[in-house]
Amino acid sequence: MKPLRCLTDLPVDGFEQLATDWGQRPFAGRNLRRWVYERRSHHFSEMTDLSGKFRGQLSEATVVRSLGIHSRREDDGGTTAFLLQLDDGQRVETVLIPEGDRNTVCVSTQVGCAVACVFCASGMKGLRRNLRAGEIVEQVMLVQESLPETERVTNVVVMGIGEPTMNFAALCQALETWNHPDGLGLGARRITISTVGYPNKIDQLASLGKEFGLAVSLHAPRQDLREQLLPGAGKVPLPDLLAAARRYYQKTHRRVTFEYVLLDGINAFARDAEQLCQLLRGFPCFVNLIPMNPVDGLPYRRPPAEMVNAFRNILEQSGIEVTQRKTRGDGIAAACGQLRLREEDAEATEVG
Ligand code: SAH
């Protein structure tokens, strides 16, 4: 039997075509799209303005959605990590981060990751597979549906499991569906993509012609250290990476954020901060400092608070705008990809 097609895997402008392929009028496709994204229906039986024939065709060959929630964990501040079940038994994580009047969703793009940054849980078992566009899109819909009626998802950060630019076509389609008024209608400025930073991919993102935010995982002010920490991406010469980030800014007028995970004894010394200042002097950017979230089985630790503060002060004194990620979700293992690994390991222990 052919696997069922999932409607969220269609591009937003693909619904008319689906309808006409099955002998329906284009407006039936538009109505169908409205059921999927506006009314958020899960069942064809509710789609009462579609003909019985069309509904029959749809339910034979397609499903509306494909993601399920395997489990969720919430901390005191409301940060909620969802472990999602995919239709082939794989799992990925999505995290809801409520903060003030924002509800940010952190979405995954791959099951596992091929980049293998040394401090990250996501790449510890390599890449299993890419997510389909619909599986990326639906993460935001699922979180939206878990919120009270009065609350909305306001922001999306593509900072979960996976390297988004290594699943580029699906990423771009998901961005389009989130952003499009006939999709989720989320403003491009409210969507940020985080990447290890391949210059050609940054250029391709810029050429989408949208004001998506871009965050680049820098993590080191020197080439040799970056190569050690990001084995799958550190070979990109730093001047090339910065030049691509600059082109992104020139094209989109969005200041790029450089992410910097602080690892005790490795990249968090005062001289690292000073070198980072040199590297970024005059660059239209923000630096997002992220004290390392501990990962089971990895030897890296976050530096003591005084060192984090000292690092931050050095950057600020040289005029760099710094944001610091609150270390949230430790208690619920929200550190990128950890929930999935812990769950898999627990199941392996149960079976074995
Ligand atoms: N692959 C993309 C997006 C996923 S991770 C990227 O690398 O940018 C989002 C951010 O979390 C990245 O900056 C990543 O380096 C960082 N990160 C990964 N593991 C972490 C950990 N254990 N503690 C803190 N930050 C981590």
Side-chain angles (χ1 to χ4, degrees):
M1 212 176 80
K2 252 177 68 183
L4 292 178
R5 268 174 96 177
C6 181
L7 293 181
T8 53
D9 284 325
L10 285 177
V12 228
D13 61 4
F15 283 77
E16 286 95 334
Q17 182 69 46
L18 178 84
T20 52
D21 284 351
W22 283 339
Q24 304 290 327
R25 307 284 294 276
F27 78 83
R30 289 193 289 276
N31 285 349
L32 175 62
R33 181 175 53 218
R34 213 167 289 138
W35 281 109
V36 176
Y37 291 118
E38 213 173 283
R39 304 196 184 108
R40 305 287 177 98
S41 167
H42 289 235
H43 306 288
F44 296 114
S45 56
E46 296 170 351
M47 304 184 182
T48 46
D49 59 0
L50 305 181
S51 71
K53 179 168 174 236
F54 191 27
R55 277 189 271 159
Q57 290 166 317
L58 286 165
S59 55
E60 235 166 68
T62 70
V63 287
V64 185
R65 302 271 192 102
S66 72
L67 289 188
I69 296 178
H70 172 271
S71 54
R72 75 177 86 186
R73 296 180 199 194
E74 185 172 345
D75 75 6
D76 298 341
T79 296
T80 308
F82 297 84
L83 189 60
L84 304 177
Q85 186 77 45
L86 310 183
D87 54 15
D88 63 351
Q90 299 288 345
R91 287 172 195 156
V92 287
E93 282 155 54
T94 294
V95 184
L96 162 68
I97 308 155
E99 195 165 25
D101 53 5
R102 286 186 180 194
N103 284 308
T104 302
V105 185
C106 175
V107 306
S108 296
T109 51
Q110 299 183 306
V111 184
C113 184
V115 184
C117 301
V118 297
F119 47 83
C120 180
S122 299
M124 286 171 75
K125 290 188 182 169
L127 174 68
R128 293 262 170 84
R129 73 165 170 90
N130 281 332
L131 295 187
R132 300 189 314 270
E135 291 171 326
I136 303 174
V137 167
E138 280 183 42
Q139 293 173 53
V140 176
M141 301 172 79
L142 266 187
V143 173
Q144 174 65 61
E145 286 151 20
S146 79
L147 290 170
E149 275 290 312
T150 50
E151 300 267 327
R152 287 279 167 275
V153 169
T154 58
N155 295 72
V156 172
V157 292
V158 186
M159 294 188 183
I161 300 173
E163 168 49 37
T165 65
M166 290 187 145
N167 185 12
F168 203 74
L171 169 72
C172 291
Q173 191 179 309
L175 292 171
E176 169 78 6
T177 303
W178 289 329
N179 178 232
H180 200 286
D182 293 331
L184 305 194
L186 210 63
R189 299 180 65 88
R190 296 171 172 272
I191 302 173
T192 296
I193 303 125
S194 176
T195 172
V196 290
Y198 301 110
N200 61 333
K201 299 295 181 193
I202 293 178
D203 287 337
Q204 280 175 263
L205 283 173
S207 69
L208 297 176
K210 296 272 186 177
E211 293 183 303
F212 295 121
L214 180 70
V216 174
S217 290
L218 189 59
H219 306 325
R222 298 181 298 282
Q223 194 73 44
D224 58 338
L225 182 57
R226 192 162 189 267
E227 279 188 45
Q228 281 171 32
L229 298 179
L230 288 69
K235 288 213 163 43
V236 173
L238 281 175
D240 293 0
L241 177 57
L242 292 182
R246 192 179 286 278
R247 289 193 295 276
Y248 191 86
Y249 169 73
Q250 283 160 348
K251 186 97 200 266
T252 62
H253 310 294
R254 296 289 317 261
R255 281 159 79 177
V256 171
T257 297
F258 289 105
E259 295 162 287
Y260 197 104
V261 172
L262 291 164
L263 307 168
D264 195 25
I266 302 212
N267 68 353
F269 296 108
R271 95 187 140 104
D272 299 316
E274 283 151 14
Q275 286 179 351
L276 190 58
C277 293
Q278 298 260 321
L279 188 70
L280 299 180
R281 179 150 298 146
F283 199 100
C285 65
F286 305 97
V287 169
N288 184 209
L289 292 179
I290 316 169
M292 157 90 186
N293 276 311
V295 174
D296 302 342
L298 293 182
Y300 305 97
R301 298 282 165 266
R302 82 171 52 130
E306 313 81 76
M307 280 195 79
V308 174
N309 291 338
F311 197 98
R312 181 182 180 138
N313 286 339
I314 292 171
L315 297 186
E316 284 179 339
Q317 274 159 21
S318 88
I320 294 176
E321 265 186 73
V322 182
T323 55
Q324 189 172 323
R325 190 186 295 175
K326 289 209 191 87
T327 42
R328 292 160 154 269
D330 277 11
I332 51 171
C336 246
Q338 261 215 107
L339 201 54
R340 166 178 160 256
L341 288 187
R342 279 195 190 163
E343 204 70 34
E344 271 189 11
D345 288 347
E347 281 176 12
T349 320
E350 277 162 29
V351 174

